[in-house]
Amino acid sequence: MSNNILVTGGAGYIGSHIVRRLGEAGYNVTVYDNCSTGFAHSVLYGELIIGDLADIHHLYQVFAKHQFSAVIHLAARLVVPDSVMYPLDYYTNNTYNTINLLRCCSVMGVNQLIFSSTAAVYGNPQENPVTENTPTLPINPYGRSKLMSEAIIQDYAYASRLRYVILRYFNVGGADPAGRIGQNSHYASHLIASACNAVLKRQPELKIFGTDFPTPDGTGVRDYIHVEDLASAHIDSLCYLEQDGESQIFNCGYGEGYSVRQVVERIKAISGVDFPVINEARRLGDPACVTACAQKIKQVLNWQPKYNNLDDIISSSLAWEMSKLNRDNGVN
Ligand code: UFG
């Protein structure tokens, strides 16, 4: 079997870290990305093909040329409030386009798939941490678009030889420890990226969206995972599928919840910058609290996170944002 791997969305924040790890491990990587939120310069290994999953004819050509042994599928839209405003874009990009990808896998006989899913499939869970068996009741179109994709993958796998690993990402932060790649999006909607922008005065303040959640300090609680550990989860999943592992769903988080206020306090302490914070109303589609039970991925894949510390995630994000600022200002 070839060691050619297709990574959809491989020019994006998480995808580029996975591509780097695949390249370092000796895989031949092909990235398929429309570069709507990804960047060619983030792809450190392999070949970047600019294309959209909606263009199934182009996708077939790419499959026919490369004979992939496995597909890692990340390409998607992923901003929760955005999904509430533009649901059809989310169902088209995230759900319909996953069917296009599976059609290509079917025709070309590619039988190993790693799918980027999300904690948003759990919605506002009654109890935390959530296990993979916690009921999936998404409360926004983003979560529903991913849950539908999970169901489609499972149904297709039942009817074919496909084996899959579905990884449900919790809140991803941090950057490449060697500082080569990190989050690049022009518009930072995620908490850590947005707070880094406040530190660096790219934005005047940080807004806290919701201070009346049923959580200890009233702000949203999330489980933050370092992008490097999430990339490791993909490499471990690939090895598992290569060794004939059966289909699985895994949570990818650390099992620690931090509130928005706690994250903001740590970012202020680590950066030494006391940026202004403004309390705002809740955002559309935001749950109160979601944290992961990650026992299953540790047991089945022997996944061993190395950066499970909020301060490490924040420091690494800050270092990346500082280096971007220096590059923008022409400082080496
Ligand atoms: N938040 C703020 N101010 C900001 C940005 C965020 O208060 O400027 C709050 C949010 O309201 C929420 C928390 O910080 O309570 C985290 O918000 P993010 O936007 O960083 O992340 P989300 O939890 O909305 O979503 C992210 C990913 C999803 C993934 C989810 C899993 O975008 O893909 O984590 O929990 F599904």
Side-chain angles (χ1 to χ4, degrees):
M1 185 177 282
S2 79
N3 70 345
N4 296 347
I5 311 293
L6 174 66
V7 183
T8 74
Y13 166 45
I14 300 167
S16 62
H17 287 78
I18 296 168
V19 167
R20 200 202 81 234
R21 292 288 299 276
L22 289 168
E24 287 168 356
Y27 287 97
N28 299 322
V29 187
T30 301
V31 171
Y32 193 80
D33 198 305
N34 64 12
C35 287
S36 59
T37 55
F39 295 85
H41 62 74
S42 300
V43 179
L44 301 187
Y45 285 88
E47 179 188 7
L48 167 64
I49 297 173
I50 297 185
D52 199 294
L53 290 173
D55 186 353
I56 194 165
H57 300 292
H58 185 219
L59 198 57
Y60 272 132
Q61 287 169 2
V62 172
F63 268 75
K65 190 174 162 205
H66 291 84
Q67 300 188 335
F68 300 116
S69 58
V71 173
I72 302 180
H73 176 33
L74 291 100
R77 296 188 60 168
L78 48 78
V79 178
V80 169
D82 199 36
S83 79
V84 180
M85 301 309 294
Y86 307 105
L88 300 184
D89 288 353
Y90 276 71
Y91 292 121
T92 305
N93 269 294
N94 297 3
T95 314
Y96 185 83
N97 287 350
T98 295
I99 298 178
N100 281 352
L101 185 66
L102 291 174
R103 282 200 191 283
C104 291
C105 289
S106 167
V107 171
M108 305 309 293
V110 178
N111 292 320
Q112 298 177 28
L113 175 74
I114 298 170
F115 177 62
S116 149
S117 189
T118 169
V121 299
Y122 296 112
N124 217 340
Q126 299 275 309
E127 283 182 11
N128 278 289
V130 294
T131 73
E132 293 79 359
N133 294 325
T134 295
T136 46
L137 296 164
I139 58 169
N140 50 57
Y142 171 63
R144 277 190 283 276
S145 73
K146 287 286 186 173
L147 188 59
M148 284 182 202
S149 301
E150 286 192 9
I152 291 165
I153 290 166
Q154 288 170 308
D155 286 347
Y156 170 63
Y158 182 79
S160 70
R161 292 179 55 221
L162 184 86
R163 287 174 298 113
Y164 61 81
V165 172
I166 290 171
L167 297 175
R168 291 178 176 162
Y169 306 171
F170 284 64
N171 287 59
V172 189
D176 170 20
R180 292 160 292 186
I181 46 174
Q183 192 153 26
N184 272 317
S185 50
H186 299 298
Y187 167 68
S189 70
H190 290 145
L191 177 61
I192 294 178
S194 181
C196 287
N197 279 343
V199 167
L200 299 176
K201 305 207 169 11
R202 287 195 193 113
Q203 63 187 52
E205 77 262 316
L206 179 87
K207 293 177 175 156
I208 296 191
F209 296 119
T211 52
D212 58 350
F213 285 108
T215 59
D217 69 13
T219 67
V221 171
R222 299 287 186 277
D223 188 337
Y224 293 88
I225 173 173
H226 197 294
V227 67
E228 195 67 12
D229 281 334
L230 186 59
S232 299
H234 291 75
I235 305 295
D236 294 347
S237 299
L238 185 58
C239 295
Y240 169 84
L241 288 175
E242 285 170 350
Q243 289 158 20
D244 297 329
E246 61 189 34
S247 297
Q248 296 283 1
I249 298 179
F250 297 121
N251 285 341
C252 295
Y254 296 142
E256 296 281 339
Y258 294 94
S259 73
V260 176
R261 281 206 199 288
Q262 286 176 311
V263 173
V264 170
E265 266 170 34
R266 291 313 305 150
I267 294 181
K268 286 186 173 189
I270 292 167
S271 66
V273 177
D274 187 16
F275 50 84
V277 171
I278 295 179
N279 294 341
E280 291 273 341
R282 295 182 187 189
R283 288 189 315 196
L284 294 170
D286 268 353
C289 173
V290 200
T291 62
C293 170
Q295 284 314 310
K296 189 177 168 197
I297 188 169
K298 287 180 181 163
Q299 275 162 13
V300 179
L301 298 188
N302 193 28
W303 177 63
Q304 294 175 343
K306 289 193 184 142
Y307 303 92
N308 46 350
N309 178 310
L310 181 63
D311 283 6
D312 285 352
I313 297 174
I314 290 171
S315 305
S316 139
S317 291
L318 271 170
W320 169 251
E321 294 297 335
M322 292 287 294
S323 73
K324 265 197 322 193
L325 191 69
N326 288 339
R327 267 200 304 278
D328 292 349
N329 293 338
V331 181
N332 285 321

